[in-house]
Amino acid sequence: MLEELKREVYEANMLLPGYNLVTFTWGNVSGVDRREGLFVIKPSGVPYEELKPEDMVVVDFDGNKVEGEMNPSSDTATHAWLYRNWDDIKGVVHTHSSYATSWAQAGRGIPCYGTTHADYIYGEIPCLRTLTGEEIDEAYELNTGKLIVDEFERMGKDHNAVTACLCKNHGPFCWGRSPEDAVHGAVVLEEVAKMAYRTELINPGVQPAPQELQDKHYYRKHGANAYYGQAKG
Ligand SMILES: [Zn+2]
């Protein structure tokens, strides 16, 4: 079942080592079929060089395996919660990419220091709070998903404008309009994280880019009045 989606998710997973976003088996990408109410995700702990499209695991929004030989990624419950609550996303990615994870470990969101960031993500990429001991013991992966959705709600952030977050002491989650789009966002996040780190090294007192510049760059590519690129249709 969902053979086409399995191939799409497989190919998106294979982009992670291609873009240097993963070490060993770290990281996972999933993609959803909204009509079926199911998603496809990488199996747990399989080296990328051995991965095959048919190894992808089909899972429901409660994180239960529906089809597949192997166990789904250990982060499946986080992906499931994001799909269940944000019904317009179609792909989710989790990595421990080095620069983004460094910000997560430092417990800091990534300020928007320039237009590379503003072209893709509106404003600061938030670093969420640490889960409590109880939340970790009870249902770690599910509670990670709940924290992401709840914190975006609390901060009034639009998950379509801020398509990534940092889980404190852990690493980034990104989402998008397809598995490939979510991976694209993870690559952008890593690059932006690297630049922001260097920006602060060069100038420790640096301030975020002016709001007008952030708005101009974000809204010329996104929303009703976007004009960047070639006209469609
Ligand atoms: Zn992780």
Side-chain angles (χ1 to χ4, degrees):
M1 67 194 301
L2 306 181
E3 299 308 318
E4 204 172 310
L5 183 60
K6 279 182 193 164
R7 172 151 288 281
E8 204 184 323
V9 169
Y10 163 77
E11 283 171 0
N13 271 286
M14 295 308 286
L15 291 174
L16 296 183
Y19 282 114
N20 251 331
L21 294 184
V22 295
T23 306
F24 301 128
T25 62
W26 310 345
N28 42 68
V29 185
S30 67
V32 73
D33 185 317
R34 290 282 172 196
R35 258 192 329 207
E36 300 288 337
L38 298 171
F39 67 100
V40 169
I41 191 164
K42 177 176 167 280
S44 181
V46 179
Y48 284 88
E49 55 272 24
E50 292 172 17
L51 213 54
K52 297 186 291 297
E54 56 268 32
D55 294 336
M56 300 300 118
V57 186
V58 181
V59 186
D60 68 20
F61 287 178
D62 290 317
N64 300 312
K65 182 160 84 173
V66 174
E67 190 205 61
E69 300 282 314
M70 292 189 247
N71 292 329
S73 160
S74 49
D75 296 307
T76 294
T78 312
H79 291 239
W81 192 259
L82 297 183
Y83 286 129
R84 177 188 278 257
N85 285 276
W86 291 341
D87 60 8
D88 47 6
I89 63 168
K90 289 193 158 168
V92 174
V93 182
H94 171 57
T95 77
H96 289 194
S97 67
S98 189
Y99 282 90
T101 300
S102 300
W103 284 85
Q105 291 185 172
R108 284 191 57 198
I110 305 174
C112 181
Y113 287 134
T115 64
T116 319
H117 179 140
D119 277 337
Y120 289 93
I121 296 166
Y122 190 70
E124 177 167 315
I125 299 158
C127 181
L128 310 182
R129 70 168 171 82
T130 317
L131 292 170
T132 65
E134 207 173 28
E135 285 169 329
I136 293 167
D137 288 344
E138 183 215 2
Y140 173 59
E141 293 82 6
L142 177 63
N143 285 332
T144 299
K146 287 183 175 175
L147 180 71
I148 296 171
V149 171
D150 291 353
E151 285 292 278
F152 269 62
E153 173 87 37
R154 187 185 63 78
M155 294 184 291
K157 285 203 185 274
D158 172 1
H159 65 269
N160 285 309
V162 183
T163 53
C165 72
L166 305 175
C167 290
K168 196 172 171 190
N169 304 122
H170 184 182
F173 277 85
C174 304
W175 45 88
R177 297 181 302 272
S178 68
E180 192 191 349
D181 183 48
V183 172
H184 187 259
V187 175
V188 170
L189 169 67
E190 181 63 1
E191 203 56 34
V192 160
K194 188 201 287 186
M195 288 185 195
Y197 163 69
R198 288 176 174 162
T199 301
E200 291 193 358
L201 272 185
I202 296 166
N203 178 4
V206 66
Q207 294 297 307
Q211 193 60 48
E212 299 77 15
L213 186 65
Q214 291 190 36
D215 285 354
K216 170 52 83 180
H217 271 263
Y218 185 78
Y219 288 112
R220 71 179 190 165
K221 287 187 90 166
H222 305 269
N225 298 316
Y227 61 87
Y228 175 91
Q230 305 304 315
K232 295 177 185 84

